[in-house]
Amino acid sequence: MKKIMNDPKNIVDEMLKGLAFCHSDLVERVEGFDIITRTAEKAGKVGLISGGGSGHEPSHAGFVGEGMLSAAVCGAVFTSPTPDQVLEAIKQADEGAGVFMVIKNYSGDIMNFEMAQEMAEMEDIKVDSIVVDDDIAVENSLYTQGKRGVAGTILVHKILGHAAQAGKSLEEIKELAEALVPNIHTIGLALSGATVPEVGKPGFVLEEDEFEYGVGIHGEPGYRKETLKPSKELAQELVGKLLESFENDSTKDYALLVNGLGATPLMEQYVFANDVAELLAEQQIKVVYKKVGSYMTSIDMAGLSLTLLKVEDNEWITALNAPVETPAW
């Protein structure tokens, strides 16, 4: 294992210190907690928090700032943050109008965020939440009942962040989240496993010429291994699965996210994006928003994911295009 680090046990702490130092104009670390909050002055609006295990950078701390998250709570690598950490994030985000939590669909995250919500409500802080389950690759997996929450989560951060910035109420943001999340679908593939620093070896190993469809962002199993194919054929599989999940509805506009999983160069992401664009054009699918880059990673995993958002409300596209001040958007 080759990694630029010191003691693996301190890697999250040192990462957060470095992030806060490099982006001190936008965010700060909460003393004594693995939490990043924005430095913007509170304005009496709904606070928005998210988080989960570390190792998915820039998710979630990279999306803290004006127009997106109020705070992000960062657990140990691939491990849910504890309820006391989430509770502190809620307190930091609270501006008096309540706090909304964006939770990825993993059993530990759901349990700990919900426990923190109960504790916050005992302190008279109104809290509500949405569970993101955008991964269509498998129905149940390690750590998950139902579909996993993956890269589509950042589109939820962006759209709900815009609503909070606009002064929407907690109830209005909940209603928006419930309309939005079912319309976000993601599927990915991996060329290699991720190496957790404290473990020192990849979570799974693929043969030199092998890849796997549907692997999760913690290395959870996918649905099929094959010999590596050209990008066009990979795109055909992922686009086909996504359009099928939307019942091949070409009457709606779509937003698109090509997301690198950590070790896939932008060159390859753009090649794949070009193949996706051609396939969608053939199916007369209109793409009105697109984004490419590594936003929800799995440490050093090679691979990528493709997300489509079916646009049921044009305000969602307005929200995606709205300017924000965060380290990573």
Side-chain angles (χ1 to χ4, degrees), residues 174-186:
K174 173 72 169 184
E175 183 178 356
L176 169 58
E178 289 181 332
L180 175 65
V181 167
N183 286 289
I184 302 176
H185 295 178
T186 301

Side-chain angles (χ1 to χ4, degrees), residues 56-60 63 104 149-154 157 217 259-262 293-298 305:
H56 305 302
E57 291 71 34
S59 290
H60 303 80
F63 304 121
K104 299 192 305 302
V150 289
T153 307
I154 69 162
H157 294 163
I217 57 173
N259 172 67
L261 289 174
S294 298
Y295 296 103
M296 177 75 75
T297 65
S298 181
S305 64

Side-chain angles (χ1 to χ4, degrees), residues 174-229:
K174 173 72 169 184
E175 183 178 356
L176 169 58
E178 289 181 332
L180 175 65
V181 167
N183 286 289
I184 302 176
H185 295 178
T186 301
I187 189 169
L189 60 87
L191 281 65
S192 71
T195 304
V196 174
E198 286 198 61
V199 176
K201 60 182 180 180
F204 63 90
V205 177
L206 296 169
E207 298 298 328
E208 186 66 28
D209 62 347
E210 189 178 41
F211 76 101
E212 185 168 359
Y213 287 118
V215 171
I217 57 173
H218 307 98
E220 303 98 326
Y223 62 87
R224 191 169 77 245
K225 294 179 183 178
E226 289 189 0
T227 302
L228 189 58
K229 303 174 182 299

Side-chain angles (χ1 to χ4, degrees), residues 39-147:
T39 56
E41 188 174 338
K42 293 187 176 183
K45 298 175 181 178
V46 171
L48 185 68
I49 75 165
S50 190
S54 295
H56 305 302
E57 291 71 34
S59 290
H60 303 80
F63 304 121
V64 173
E66 287 197 77
M68 286 189 76
L69 298 178
S70 307
V73 53
C74 308
V77 176
F78 291 178
T79 304
S80 174
T82 58
D84 63 307
Q85 296 270 343
V86 181
L87 176 61
E88 183 62 26
I90 292 170
K91 292 179 178 179
Q92 292 288 331
D94 182 33
E95 300 183 12
V99 174
F100 196 84
M101 307 189 300
V102 179
I103 310 168
K104 299 192 305 302
N105 189 27
Y106 297 98
S107 302
D109 285 1
I110 292 173
M111 179 178 67
N112 291 340
F113 274 76
E114 288 182 348
M115 286 177 64
Q117 175 176 343
E118 292 173 4
M119 292 187 288
E121 289 172 343
M122 290 172 63
E123 298 186 32
D124 295 323
I125 302 173
K126 291 196 301 179
V127 181
D128 212 331
S129 65
I130 193 73
V131 174
V132 182
D133 59 350
D134 56 309
D135 189 350
I136 65 165
V138 294
E139 183 61 29
N140 294 293
S141 184
L142 299 174
Y143 323 120
T144 309
Q145 292 181 334
K147 297 180 297 178

